Amino acid sequence: MSTPKNLVIVESPAKAKTIEKFLGPDYRVMSSYGHIRDLKKKTFSIDVDKDFSPIYEIPEDKEQLVADLKRAATKADTVWLASDEDREGEAIAWHLYEVLGLKPEKTRRIVFHEITKNAILHAIENPRSIDLARVDAQQARRVLDRIVGFELSPVLWKRLKPTLSAGRVQSVAVRLIVERENEIRAFRSEPYYRVSAVFIPEGDESHAVRADLSQRLDNEAEARAFLEACKDVAFKVGDIDVHPLRKAPAPPFTTSTLQQEASRKLGFPVSMTMSVAQRLYENGHITYMRTDSVNLSAEAISAMSKLIKERLGEKYLHVRAYHTSSKGAQEAHEAIRPTYAETETLPDATPQEQKLYTLIRRRAIASQMADAEIKKTTVEITATGIDHTFTATDETVVFDGFLREYSESSDDDEAATQSNPNAGLRTGMPMRYTDIEATERFTQQPPRYTEASLVKKMEELGIGRPSTYAPTISTIQQRGYVERGENEGQPREYNTLSLKNGKISSETRTIMAGANKGRLVPTDTGMIVNNFLTEYFPNVLDYNFTANIEEKFDEIAQGKLAWNKEIAGFYTIFHPAVDEAMTIKQGGLKFGERMLGKDPATGKPVSVKIGRFGPVVQVGSPDSEEKPQFASLLKGQSINNITLEEALKLFEFPRTLGTFEDSEVTVAIGRFGPYVRHDNKFVSIPADFTPAELTLEQAIELIVAKREADEKKTLRTYDEDPGVVLLNGRFGPYIAYNKKNYKLPRGIKKPETLSYEEVKKIIAEADAAPAKPKRATAKKKK
DNA sequence: CAGTGAGCGAGCTTCCGCTTGACTT
């Protein structure tokens, strides 16, 4: 094959493959795999005294790729830089130009927003040069983020604890979660009563109508009085209101809305949504999954229109163009949609891939369908002598339209509408209740964020980008600022009063309340870090900081402002604040440290704070002769509300409970929480036990349970050497020997039939093999 | 779906946005 005259460079390898097919043999298409150059990884790498000039390097894992690109570029007559049109894409093109040493006369910059043949051919016919103002806007963004991140983080290391981090995006994400938690703590739940009833028209027993009282009642006495009043009155149908409703479909998915809907409808965490979508994209089933655009290509719209017309008829079709409303959207790609709208079932797809694909496909198709038409009937049911009015609503779908394909779900599933057979009711018709029930409810605290609802909020504030939503959520969890809640809630009692056959009865029921399972809850560390940052750096933590700075970036991109002047303006205010936060002293206590009192035994001060390994109790003062003593807080305990007694109990470990099978049983607190130790074995204590009150009996139960679990996972042992065990683990069977684990060679069907000699051979071979290279060397695909 | 099981000090840690791998024992 002769060398193609043209080299096209795009960002994504999957994109490269598709485009190569459109362009034919004169074009070779390669991928840059995102950025090829960045600020140095380990050091600040911004020369503050030289106009904030950035010091770039090619990361080690990109060296091979850059060499390959360089060779291909040298051979080509023309190099087409086809990275995305957004700020980052423009910078990628510029870095490629610089690093590959391209010549202006043989370089073209092209952009397209859709991967269709027409769009690409059009782009090739309309090349331009690199937009240096836009590149500067990216450099400003990059440098600002490095300054904020690399100056704030060390302040946290010094003032609170090493390895912490802060940044323009992650710190605001944590702030959202912390402030929501504060709202929840300040919230006082108030009881009230809701009344609902079932009525039937006099003389028509088959026709039951469910109706709700529109007003809340304040307390039980009021509820009881209301039911008393209902006992003997004559109800009748009052006003009947019928009006049409139209519902329009939602736009096709962006990254953020896909993450939200996959979370609500499929229960996917955002990281799972992204990795499943990545595979769909790589296999050519969907368009690019990291996008902030709701735009669809003309070709996609026409394919979907054809499909809708053929399968459902013309009246279901309504071609629509959507416009983004989200802050800071850069719209370099299409919305997320199926590549071939007619494909419903994917060959070789996992169930997860198929589910996500179906969601994407239906949402995209529905976006080009007609409004749903609904008839909403509201019937009032009243009685003389009753102040309040019951209303029964009935939504009948007259024309389903887009609902045939897709119905969006909402965050609060409380609002489910129920259908009522209101047809046949006439004003003045006498009605009889069969049951009127007043139920005690409680005003709801604000909901904790889920991963997906946090993404939604971040997008609203313009914080983060489609490619960073999922990584940011995992960063703030890795840093220990935020955890996924595990609490299923506590039972809460509520009253119901029921009026039936002229008699009022009352009953107490329970529901689970206050669950935070799977939702984002701040840790002590998250709370204290946030308090620290908002106190010393209120401007950076401001919800509008990013939005304001984005306006500057836009002006830089338009050539109206010089990027390094803007950065200098920020730095002259920011940097002194960093110096101050680094050095300021506050009366002997560490930031966030709380005094609990004095140890009654020794008189030493007892306090709680964020220590080197997380929240700790400290007894004694660091200034005194004697070294202070430390004990970690347990899971579920908080710096915020731990008492002196609870804190002192933590020093009672390790505690000996007694003996079992001639060995001592002790309970202690370790790196991974409380555990029972017996016969050199460790058994974790589940969170529903209080380690300080654990009895010998309970400990023995835990030991026995652990033993049984261990037996289940042991596939076989060997008489020749009790130290060799064949175990069943998370990734399948493996060998454990001498505190090391060994994987089995491929293709072993029945591992339990392995002989001792075979097992020893696997161990010997694995030990003889050279240690894995630490750095991943960039592999070349041929 | 497991396993791990100290200690307040030496050195190191850290940002955001582009993009995929390699493949866990």
Side-chain angles (χ1 to χ4, degrees):
Chain A
M1 200 176 92
S2 65
T3 318
K5 292 198 263 301
N6 296 282
L7 172 65
V8 180
I9 304 176
V10 296
E11 293 182 34
S12 146
K15 207 191 228 184
K17 241 171 49 187
T18 316
I19 293 170
E20 198 148 48
K21 275 186 245 153
F22 294 140
L23 287 175
D26 286 345
Y27 291 82
R28 178 173 186 200
V29 186
M30 292 177 77
S31 160
S32 74
Y33 290 79
H35 277 291
I36 55 150
R37 198 164 69 157
D38 190 17
L39 295 176
K40 287 185 169 178
K41 219 171 127 89
K42 293 274 173 192
T43 57
F44 192 59
S45 301
I46 296 163
D47 196 338
V48 174
D49 300 326
K50 270 171 67 186
D51 269 351
F52 295 86
S53 53
I55 300 155
Y56 292 118
E57 72 172 359
I58 297 163
E60 205 155 357
D61 59 348
K62 286 287 175 85
E63 279 173 3
Q64 182 64 53
L65 170 74
V66 167
D68 292 349
L69 287 170
K70 215 177 226 171
R71 200 173 316 113
T74 323
K75 284 186 200 155
D77 294 345
T78 309
V79 177
W80 304 80
L81 300 175
S83 47
D84 299 342
E85 194 175 20
D86 56 17
R87 201 159 63 201
E88 298 297 325
E90 203 65 29
I92 288 172
W94 178 72
H95 282 298
L96 283 166
Y97 181 83
E98 296 267 307
V99 170
L100 304 182
L102 303 181
K103 300 273 182 299
E105 63 276 12
K106 53 177 274 190
T107 306
R108 307 276 184 280
R109 167 79 173 120
I110 53 167
V111 293
F112 36 83
H113 302 110
E114 341 171 325
I115 314 300
T116 59
K117 190 166 182 176
N118 282 338
I120 287 149
L121 295 180
H122 180 79
I124 295 270
E125 282 158 23
N126 296 280
R128 57 170 173 84
S129 51
I130 294 171
D131 182 348
L132 290 173
R134 189 173 286 194
V135 173
D136 282 349
Q138 192 275 345
Q139 300 201 86
R141 198 281 304 156
R142 181 68 190 91
V143 165
L144 176 82
D145 284 338
R146 174 55 67 90
I147 291 173
V148 171
F150 273 42
E151 294 217 347
L152 282 188
S153 300
V155 179
L156 298 180
W157 303 342
K158 181 169 178 210
R159 297 292 305 274
L160 293 171
K161 151 178 144 88
T163 72
L164 292 176
S165 68
R168 175 178 57 85
V169 172
Q170 59 167 285
S171 296
V172 177
V174 173
R175 179 177 190 180
L176 286 166
I177 294 162
V178 169
E179 291 194 341
R180 179 58 57 85
E181 198 68 22
N182 288 338
E183 284 172 39
I184 290 169
R185 285 183 186 175
F187 185 83
R188 292 289 162 260
S189 184
E190 301 282 351
Y192 65 96
Y193 280 77
R194 274 252 181 247
V195 183
S196 69
V198 177
F199 291 99
I200 49 176
E202 288 286 4
D204 180 6
E205 299 292 315
S206 63
H207 197 150
V209 179
R210 175 155 211 99
D212 298 319
L213 203 64
S214 30
Q215 294 89 342
R216 298 172 168 190
L217 303 180
D218 285 343
N219 51 48
E220 186 179 345
E222 234 180 78
R224 193 173 282 275
F226 179 75
L227 293 192
E228 284 291 345
C230 286
K231 260 186 188 170
D232 301 313
V233 293
F235 285 98
K236 62 180 196 314
V237 176
D239 287 346
I240 298 181
D241 175 58
V242 182
H243 70 272
L245 272 182
R246 294 180 79 86
K247 282 187 186 165
F253 282 130
T254 60
T255 303
S256 143
T257 52
L258 176 65
Q259 288 172 347
Q260 291 161 43
E261 283 285 273
S263 163
R264 289 190 286 238
K265 286 199 149 108
L266 309 176
F268 286 6
V270 298
S271 60
M272 188 199 269
T273 298
M274 292 315 283
S275 64
V276 173
Q278 176 86 29
R279 284 200 300 280
L280 291 172
Y281 167 67
E282 284 169 7
N283 293 328
H285 300 312
I286 60 167
T287 53
Y288 198 56
M289 64 283 151
R290 290 187 277 265
T291 177
D292 52 24
S293 171
V294 285
N295 187 53
L296 296 170
S297 73
E299 286 169 39
I301 290 179
S302 105
M304 290 193 283
S305 301
K306 189 164 163 265
L307 190 75
I308 294 163
K309 266 195 282 189
E310 277 173 12
R311 302 219 176 148
L312 300 166
E314 185 92 45
K315 66 173 183 169
Y316 276 92
L317 177 65
H318 182 168
V319 172
R320 303 163 197 260
Y322 293 91
H323 302 285
T324 181
S325 57
S326 64
K327 231 183 249 181
Q330 304 193 17
E331 307 207 71
H333 305 95
E334 274 190 78
I336 307 171
R337 61 159 174 96
T339 2
Y340 305 104
E342 63 278 12
T343 306
E344 276 179 60
T345 312
L346 301 175
D348 310 323
T350 65
Q352 288 169 343
E353 287 166 17
Q354 182 63 54
K355 275 187 206 157
L356 193 69
Y357 176 76
T358 302
L359 197 70
I360 292 167
R361 177 176 176 272
R362 296 178 86 103
R363 171 91 164 212
I365 293 174
S367 81
Q368 299 305 314
M369 289 175 66
D371 285 358
E373 288 166 30
I374 288 153
K375 188 178 82 172
K376 184 171 182 181
T377 313
T378 309
V379 176
E380 295 190 338
I381 296 172
T382 60
T384 18
I386 303 282
D387 296 343
H388 303 307
T389 306
F390 286 94
T391 55
T393 55
D394 172 17
E395 290 193 2
T396 311
V397 175
V398 180
F399 173 60
D400 55 0
F402 77 91
L403 290 175
R404 186 171 275 223
E405 276 300 317
Y406 192 92
S407 154
E408 197 180 10
S409 50
S410 79
D411 277 327
D412 44 356
D413 25 23
E414 286 280 323
T417 53
Q418 18 175 292
S419 190
N420 266 304
N422 284 350
L425 297 180
R426 298 279 176 275
T427 301
M429 206 180 247
M431 300 292 279
R432 184 165 62 80
Y433 70 81
T434 59
D435 184 10
I436 303 180
E437 195 168 272
T439 310
E440 187 181 19
R441 299 279 187 87
F442 300 87
T443 52
Q444 291 289 306
Q445 62 183 27
R448 292 190 175 85
Y449 286 104
T450 61
E451 290 188 356
S453 67
L454 182 66
V455 168
K456 183 180 182 187
K457 186 69 189 174
M458 288 169 67
E459 188 187 39
E460 281 168 18
L461 294 170
I463 295 162
R465 302 279 310 136
S467 66
T468 60
Y469 295 137
T472 301
I473 282 171
S474 79
T475 299
I476 61 178
Q477 292 179 67
Q478 263 171 21
R479 298 273 175 274
Y481 296 149
V482 167
E483 284 170 351
R484 296 177 66 115
E486 288 172 357
N487 186 351
E488 307 264 11
Q490 280 83 41
R492 172 187 241 174
E493 292 194 336
Y494 67 99
N495 283 323
T496 60
L497 296 175
S498 177
L499 172 62
K500 240 183 211 170
N501 300 323
K503 278 201 195 103
I504 296 173
S505 58
S506 80
E507 195 185 329
T508 304
R509 298 180 194 159
T510 54
I511 49 158
M512 297 302 277
N516 64 15
K517 198 168 166 61
R519 295 192 170 244
L520 301 173
V521 185
T523 61
D524 280 340
T525 310
M527 291 228 161
I528 289 172
V529 166
N530 179 255
N531 293 346
F532 181 83
L533 291 172
T534 45
E535 184 172 329
Y536 288 100
F537 304 96
N539 56 332
V540 175
L541 270 282
D542 190 299
Y543 290 126
N544 291 317
F545 177 70
T546 291
N548 294 339
I549 211 92
E550 280 289 342
E551 285 176 16
K552 298 265 190 194
F553 293 158
D554 283 346
E555 291 186 58
I556 293 168
Q558 292 160 26
K560 292 180 190 161
L561 293 175
W563 79 265
N564 27 28
K565 287 227 174 65
E566 293 311 306
I567 294 295
F570 169 75
Y571 194 77
T572 48
I573 295 167
F574 177 71
H575 188 69
V578 170
D579 283 341
E580 193 190 324
M582 201 59 118
T583 50
I584 207 153
K585 280 271 175 281
Q586 42 185 40
L589 284 187
K590 189 174 175 178
F591 190 94
E593 184 170 2
R594 191 164 75 90
M595 238 14 205
L596 296 182
K598 284 199 177 355
D599 178 5
T602 61
K604 289 179 183 170
V606 181
S607 68
V608 279
K609 64 176 180 181
I610 299 293
R612 169 74 179 79
F613 301 100
V616 284
V617 188
Q618 174 181 288
V619 177
S621 153
D623 319 318
S624 73
E625 288 279 301
E626 260 180 288
K627 270 193 162 185
Q629 281 187 297
F630 297 91
S632 289
L633 266 63
L634 293 172
K635 211 170 162 53
Q637 291 183 324
S638 167
I639 289 180
N640 214 24
N641 59 15
I642 191 171
T643 62
L644 180 63
E645 291 69 35
E646 288 165 341
L648 291 172
K649 266 195 179 167
L650 294 171
F651 289 91
E652 292 169 9
F653 299 101
R655 200 156 61 87
T656 304
L657 298 180
T659 54
F660 173 56
E661 294 176 350
D662 300 329
S663 303
E664 204 170 61
V665 178
T666 55
V667 46
I669 313 288
R671 188 143 62 117
F672 310 103
Y675 62 95
V676 174
R677 185 172 191 158
H678 173 252
D679 192 20
N680 271 328
K681 289 200 176 67
F682 298 90
V683 186
S684 290
I685 301 175
D688 43 339
F689 288 97
T690 311
E693 289 158 17
L694 196 80
T695 62
L696 180 62
E697 288 69 33
Q698 289 171 320
I700 291 170
E701 271 176 42
L702 289 172
I703 293 165
V704 173
K706 171 78 159 44
R707 215 175 260 173
E708 280 166 12
D710 280 349
E711 265 167 38
K712 262 194 199 154
K713 68 173 242 252
T714 306
L715 289 176
R716 78 169 278 188
T717 53
Y718 294 91
D719 297 336
E720 293 90 333
D721 183 352
V724 179
V725 222
L726 202 57
L727 298 174
N728 211 353
R730 194 157 56 126
F731 309 110
Y734 67 98
I735 301 161
Y737 171 66
N738 202 10
K739 299 210 163 175
K740 275 171 78 178
N741 295 326
Y742 301 85
K743 70 172 168 185
L744 300 180
R746 278 162 200 268
I748 293 183
K749 291 252 167 60
K750 288 195 170 169
E752 59 275 19
T753 60
L754 282 173
S755 71
Y756 178 68
E757 284 68 32
E758 285 170 317
V759 166
K760 284 300 274 190
K761 194 168 155 238
I762 294 168
I763 293 171
E765 277 170 7
D767 282 342
K772 273 183 214 154
K774 256 200 129 179
R775 289 191 295 258
T777 43
K779 251 208 295 201
K780 239 171 71 174
K781 266 201 187 153
K782 262 280 140 135

